[in-house]
Amino acid sequence: TAENIHQIVAATTVTEEETLARDLFLFSFYTRGMSFVDIAFLEKGSIKDGQLIYKRKKTGKVIQILDIA
């Protein structure tokens, strides 16, 4: 639910690992469920004109996420 996401955003983390896990989860959520392997292969060049553009490792399909600014 939206409430759950707000709780995760506001959660206090204790370790760097917890912070990284929270941030990766939120990034995946905000990018429409991007898989971890696709996140791992992102490069700075994946951001073009305010869009996140990447090729799915599993399917090879090009994905565009608009207005990431």
Side-chain angles (χ1 to χ4, degrees):
T1 66
E3 176 66 25
N4 293 128
I5 296 301
H6 290 297
Q7 289 174 343
I8 293 168
V9 168
T12 302
T13 57
V14 177
T15 66
E16 289 183 25
E17 290 84 2
E18 289 176 348
T19 303
L20 179 60
R22 181 200 57 206
D23 293 348
L24 286 171
F25 170 80
L26 289 171
F27 182 82
S28 176
F29 177 79
Y30 292 141
T31 55
R32 303 181 317 173
M34 183 186 293
S35 72
F36 180 77
V37 70
D38 292 330
I39 293 171
F41 280 94
L42 287 176
E43 299 175 343
K44 285 184 179 182
S46 299
I47 299 173
K48 299 173 186 162
D49 300 323
Q51 298 180 12
L52 176 62
I53 302 170
Y54 67 98
K55 185 186 278 191
R56 286 273 290 127
K57 287 291 178 190
K58 184 176 179 179
T59 64
K61 183 179 177 182
V62 175
I63 305 292
Q64 292 181 298
I65 300 174
L66 307 176
D67 298 324
I68 62 165

